[in-house]
Amino acid sequence: MTSLRTQVERQAGPPRLVVGIADLGLTADPGALLVTYALGSCIGVTIYDPVARVGGMLHFMLPQSSLSPERAKSAPLMFADTGVPLLFTRAYEMGARKERLVVCAAGGAEILADEGHFKIGTRNRTMLRKLFWKNNVLLAAEDTGGSHSRTLTLRLSDGLVTVKNKSEERALWPT
């Protein structure tokens, strides 16, 4: 398991590796479950290589590191444009290959009542799409936008990605 601050929840069953805000988790443990909570305007990105059996998750808060260059130096996972490349690079170091990756995303909602001034969720979604388009990465599935918070999980045994909101939990990938 590779992470900056990921916590392990003790429970019956597989280890639940909790990826916090502005953090990432990577693992090749087939019994692991990666999870991140409270994806409001933040976005959670999962990657899974079914051959190498490597999986990872990033929980980023803001679209661009240029918003706060000093903060980006100390917390690159806070931003899409610095955190997403780190997620992919670290997965490659563990044996993942770009052409095999299953990539999913959730979050990017407009939760705060800011009368549309900041639109952080929308800006996060736009930046993620730009990054993926520029790097020829396709999303296998996503659950983004809206006005509700989500929980995102990735099960390493089979790559199952689920998303949960207040009223339901469903498989995001495979569908």
Side-chain angles (χ1 to χ4, degrees):
M1 172 70 196
T2 301
S3 171
L4 295 181
R5 296 184 316 272
T6 299
Q7 302 292 313
V8 177
E9 284 184 353
R10 300 291 175 207
Q11 62 180 25
R16 184 178 291 248
L17 309 169
V18 180
V19 177
I21 297 170
D23 194 13
L24 70 77
L26 283 159
T27 186
D29 177 352
L33 182 72
L34 291 166
V35 62
T36 194
Y37 301 104
L39 290 167
S41 60
C42 296
I43 292 184
V45 177
T46 64
I47 60 176
Y48 174 70
D49 181 328
V51 175
R53 299 274 188 198
V54 170
M57 180 180 288
L58 169 70
H59 182 142
F60 71 84
M61 295 173 59
L62 297 167
Q64 291 177 285
S65 57
S66 62
L67 296 170
S68 178
E70 287 304 311
R71 184 73 170 153
K73 286 180 186 173
S74 63
L77 301 172
M78 181 179 286
F79 303 94
D81 67 339
T82 50
V84 170
L86 279 172
L87 174 66
F88 279 73
T89 299
R90 291 187 181 167
Y92 299 153
E93 290 168 356
M94 294 178 69
R97 303 234 351 226
K98 181 179 178 179
E99 63 271 13
R100 297 188 305 232
L101 287 177
V102 176
V103 182
C104 298
E110 298 301 336
I111 302 289
L112 301 176
D114 68 6
E115 288 82 46
H117 292 103
F118 298 111
K119 292 192 170 244
I120 298 297
T122 299
R123 290 170 50 208
N124 279 340
R125 292 191 316 269
T126 300
M127 177 55 72
L128 187 65
R129 286 186 178 98
K130 283 181 181 179
L131 284 169
F132 286 167
W133 178 80
K134 198 172 162 183
N135 292 287
N136 199 25
V137 172
L138 297 176
L139 277 169
E142 69 177 303
D143 184 356
T144 58
S147 59
H148 59 280
S149 182
R150 298 161 173 94
T151 295
L152 181 67
T153 62
L154 168 62
R155 187 171 66 198
L156 262 288
S157 62
D158 58 5
L160 175 70
V161 177
T162 62
V163 64
K164 181 179 179 181
N165 61 35
K166 283 184 188 176
S167 60
E168 70 174 345
E169 181 172 13
R170 67 180 182 85
L172 191 56
W173 187 91
T175 54

